[in-house]
Amino acid sequence: MRLLAGLRDADRSLTKRAASRVPPRVGKVLSAVEETAESTKLWCGAAAAMAWLGGWRGRRAAVSGLAALAVAQVISNGVCKQVVGRPRPPKEWFPHDEVDDRPDSSSFPSGHTAAAVAFTAAVAPIWPAAGALCAVPAGMVALERVQSGAHYPSDVVTGAAIGLAAAWLTRHAPRLILRHWLPS
């Protein structure tokens, strides 16, 4: 129980800090990046650019990124949000009106963050430069989700963990399946 109480206190403190300390101009940039990432548009656009500009490696990175993103979306939005009905952070914690535009779905976990991290983590081993470029907006999306009042920090951290797990799974699942299901 102490752990949960400590987590709630940390969530409250970090959420209030993020909401009040991010300058308005930075908040607008974060919101623009998040809006571009809405419905995975940013990541699909990045995948298209990689496939078009990156040759075989770009196409492989794009497919891997989109596969990991799909897995992360199923886990975060299709399973976790349905099971855990966590309310969004209270509106009174936020000194701005962005909090009025947040969704009504469960706060836990951050599906935006899960998708961003999954895509980025799946692309990075295949095409490190593209992965590094994707890490910038992925980090911005994660910060925006807390700053705007859509999520608690623990929602974002869990979303990132789901994204990392989805990237790992899409990278290793084919080998694991082949090893265990095909006769030696």
Side-chain angles (χ1 to χ4, degrees):
M1 285 305 221
R2 279 188 185 173
L3 180 63
L4 289 176
L7 180 60
R8 277 193 299 271
D9 290 344
D11 265 347
R12 181 177 57 247
S13 175
L14 291 170
T15 301
K16 286 181 174 183
R17 280 188 193 160
S20 65
R21 294 213 174 143
V22 173
R25 284 186 178 168
V26 173
K28 288 183 192 275
V29 171
L30 293 174
S31 292
V33 171
E34 184 279 327
E35 193 170 308
T36 304
E38 185 74 36
S39 301
T40 69
K41 294 180 294 227
L42 176 61
W43 313 116
C44 290
M50 282 183 241
W52 183 49
L53 299 171
W56 185 84
R57 180 172 62 169
R59 288 186 293 278
R60 187 168 164 237
V63 168
S64 182
L66 291 174
L69 183 148
V71 170
Q73 290 287 5
V74 167
I75 294 168
S76 64
N77 296 332
V79 177
C80 294
K81 280 188 185 285
Q82 306 309 313
V83 174
V84 180
R86 185 179 196 186
R88 302 283 173 168
K91 288 184 178 185
E92 56 271 8
W93 289 1
F94 301 92
H96 50 69
D97 62 355
E98 286 182 62
V99 74
D100 295 331
D101 291 337
R102 63 192 184 173
D104 293 331
S105 61
S106 174
S107 178
F108 184 87
S110 170
H112 284 80
T113 304
V117 171
F119 185 84
T120 302
V123 165
I126 299 165
W127 194 358
L133 287 174
C134 290
V136 174
M140 293 172 80
V141 165
L143 177 59
E144 189 280 338
R145 301 314 287 159
V146 175
Q147 180 271 333
S148 69
H151 291 285
Y152 294 95
S154 60
D155 300 336
V156 170
V157 169
T158 303
I162 289 169
L164 290 171
W168 183 90
L169 187 63
T170 57
R171 185 169 177 88
H172 294 92
R175 261 182 281 151
L176 294 172
I177 290 169
L178 290 174
R179 185 180 313 149
H180 290 7
W181 285 1
L182 292 179
S184 303

